């Protein structure tokens, strides 16, 4: 008798919008799933569009079988066919919102699928719940073509969350990238030592030198450290994007300052001048500077010799530019070498 009364009471229960109901799958149709609600006067249906997020419907359907138990939320008390209309999507949304709230509190990263690019950012979804990623939070740099990210999966972290206002579920990819960048930079700083010779990528030029990157850390190659020869600008020697060998000549890990040198990897030219040049020898060089009293001829990077105006030509000239031009290759005789004062005297006319 008690069992019959209990059953009758259950049969008299009325549904309310938002109730969570557990039932058993009675049949699976192309547009809906019929749910047997044991103990209730009517059965329910779950429209396919209310089964799961659009991108997960097929996956969820493939795992459902007749006789399986399923929990869903009431979204309509009765349709024209006298069924209560249920939504698994709304039930999952509650679960997802709970999960997102936990992710927000813990600061954990998770994956979302980008579905739309808007002027102010990206619209993505996590188990059917909308997640907004502002333009400023997509990357560490400005993303010009947001459409290229549509239908891709991004790893993000929640920076705002509200159950009351779902438009305030906001995520950032930038914070993750910035953390990864900082970790990479710190690992690089920890590994660097003064005197190390490492590979670096030339990134940008300034008037005073070039910046090169070593595993995420920027170092300065001062103009004076690029070559032993005098140069006016970095692009005389270097190219943006090229990989070069550099020596660490200055390292301040606390201030995050790194000084690099290219020329330190080769001997100082004057230190081995005796091994390369002898007085009285003929040598080829390039005219690099001209002034009133003569011309400077580069024998090699860092080694210039002076051809006095009186040693340029057998003919009388008033100015070296009358017979010489910058960049011209000339043959000279070495008249003298003063290693201590770093001076070489040359003669062009004695080589003719």
């Amino acid at each position: 008798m008690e069992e019959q009364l209990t059953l009758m009471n259950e049969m008299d229960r009325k549904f309310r919008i938002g109730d969570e109901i557990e039932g058993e799958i009675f049949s699976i149709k192309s547009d809906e799933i019929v749910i047997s609600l044991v103990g209730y006067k009517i059965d329910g249906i779950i429209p396919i569009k209310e089964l799961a997020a659009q991108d997960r419907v097929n996956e969820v359907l493939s795992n459902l079988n007749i006789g399986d138990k399923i929990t869903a939320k009431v979204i309509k008390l009765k349709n024209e066919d006298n069924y209560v209309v249920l939504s698994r999507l709304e039930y999952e949304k509650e679960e997802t919102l709970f999960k997102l709230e936990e992710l927000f509190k813990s600061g954990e990263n998770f994956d979302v699928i980008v579905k739309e690019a808007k002027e102010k950012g990206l619209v993505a979804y996590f188990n059917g719940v909308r997640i907004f990623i502002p333009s400023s939070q997509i990357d560490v740099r400005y993303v010009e073509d947001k459409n290229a990210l549509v239908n891709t999966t991004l790893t993000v972290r929640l920076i705002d969350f509200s159950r009351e206002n779902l438009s305030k579920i906001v995520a950032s990819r930038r914070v993750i990238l910035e953390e990864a960048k900082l970790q990479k930079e710190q690992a690089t700083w920890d590994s660097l030592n003064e005197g190390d010779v490492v590979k670096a990528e030339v990134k940008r030029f300034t008037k005073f030198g070039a910046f090169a990157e070593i595993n995420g850390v920027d170092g300065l190659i001062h103009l004076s450290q690029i070559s032993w020869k005098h140069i006016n600008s970095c692009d005389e020697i270097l190219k943006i994007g090229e990989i070069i060998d550099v020596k660490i000549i200055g390292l301040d890990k606390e201030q995050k300052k790194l000084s690099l040198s290219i020329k330190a990897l080769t001997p100082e030219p004057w230190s081995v001048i005796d091994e390369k040049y002898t007085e009285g020898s003929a040598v080829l060089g390039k005219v690099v500077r001209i002034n009133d009293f003569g011309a400077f001829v580069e024998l090699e990077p860092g080694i210039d010799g002076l051809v006095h105006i009186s040693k340029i030509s057998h003919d009388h000239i008033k100015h070296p530019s009358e017979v010489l031009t910058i960049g011209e290759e000339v043959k000279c005789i070495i008249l003298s070498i003063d290693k201590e004062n770093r001076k070489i005297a040359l003669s062009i006319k004695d080589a003719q």
Side-chain angles (χ1 to χ4, degrees), residues 19-264:
D19 281 352
E20 290 181 7
I21 305 296
E22 184 182 69
E24 189 176 289
I25 296 176
F26 179 74
S27 67
I28 299 174
K29 301 179 180 180
S30 60
D31 59 345
E32 64 185 22
I33 297 174
V34 179
I35 307 297
S36 175
L37 302 176
V38 179
Y40 293 89
K41 292 181 178 180
I42 61 175
D43 288 332
I45 60 161
I46 301 176
I48 294 299
K49 65 181 181 179
E50 291 294 331
L51 180 63
Q54 188 177 356
D55 58 341
R56 297 181 59 245
V57 168
N58 291 334
E59 177 190 349
V60 173
L61 271 174
S62 65
N63 290 316
L64 293 180
N65 298 290
I66 293 173
D68 287 351
K69 291 187 180 298
I70 190 167
T71 303
K73 273 196 169 189
V74 177
I75 58 173
K76 190 172 185 178
L77 298 177
K78 188 184 294 185
N79 68 1
E80 57 272 15
D81 295 322
N82 214 30
Y83 285 111
V84 60
V85 182
L86 306 171
S87 173
R88 177 68 186 174
L89 185 61
E90 288 300 311
Y91 176 75
E92 285 192 344
K93 183 182 286 187
E94 282 299 315
E95 288 185 323
T96 302
L97 287 172
F98 177 78
K99 173 68 174 176
L100 288 171
E101 189 171 18
E102 292 298 308
L103 288 170
F104 177 64
K105 291 177 180 178
S106 66
E108 290 182 56
N109 302 337
F110 61 100
D111 291 341
V112 295
I113 300 172
V114 178
K115 287 300 181 182
E116 190 178 356
K118 292 182 175 290
E119 183 181 351
K120 294 185 178 181
L122 301 173
V123 176
Y125 285 87
F126 176 74
N127 291 348
V129 173
R130 182 182 185 274
I131 310 285
F132 185 65
I133 308 169
S135 295
S136 62
Q137 298 298 322
I138 297 172
D139 207 323
V140 292
R141 296 181 179 88
Y142 174 71
V143 176
E144 190 168 341
D145 184 12
K146 293 191 287 287
N147 287 302
L149 295 172
V150 174
N151 293 324
T152 65
T153 299
L154 299 182
T155 301
V156 297
R157 183 182 303 165
L158 286 177
I159 56 175
D160 198 4
F161 177 83
S162 172
R163 275 180 172 272
E164 292 72 33
N165 188 349
L166 298 186
S167 65
K168 287 188 176 180
I169 301 180
V170 183
S172 171
R173 177 171 173 254
R174 177 174 180 163
V175 293
I176 299 171
L177 296 177
E178 285 177 340
E179 283 182 2
K181 184 173 182 288
L182 286 173
Q183 289 174 0
K184 181 180 179 182
E185 287 177 2
Q186 190 56 54
T188 300
W189 282 112
D190 292 342
S191 69
L192 296 178
N193 298 287
E194 192 166 329
D196 287 351
V197 177
V198 295
K199 297 284 185 185
E201 181 181 353
V202 180
K203 287 294 188 179
R204 61 189 186 280
F205 297 149
T206 67
K207 291 182 179 179
F208 52 84
F211 282 93
E213 182 186 302
I214 305 169
N215 295 330
V217 170
D218 281 351
L220 172 65
I221 311 171
H222 193 272
L223 203 62
S224 63
Q225 292 296 325
I226 292 176
S227 174
W228 287 109
K229 74 174 183 178
H230 174 78
I231 60 172
N232 294 310
S233 61
C234 301
D235 56 9
E236 293 179 30
I237 303 290
L238 301 172
K239 294 179 180 178
I240 299 293
E242 73 173 309
I243 306 298
I244 56 173
D245 290 322
V246 292
K247 185 174 183 178
I248 298 174
I249 59 172
L251 181 65
D252 186 338
K253 294 186 178 183
E254 289 187 5
Q255 298 297 320
K256 306 292 185 185
K257 291 183 179 180
L258 183 63
S259 298
L260 308 172
S261 175
I262 298 172
K263 77 177 190 180

Side-chain angles (χ1 to χ4, degrees), residues 1-12 38-39:
M1 189 65 180
E2 286 182 5
E3 290 179 357
Q4 287 181 338
L5 286 172
T6 300
L7 182 59
M8 287 175 65
N9 288 332
E10 288 182 347
M11 295 282 286
D12 286 339
V38 179

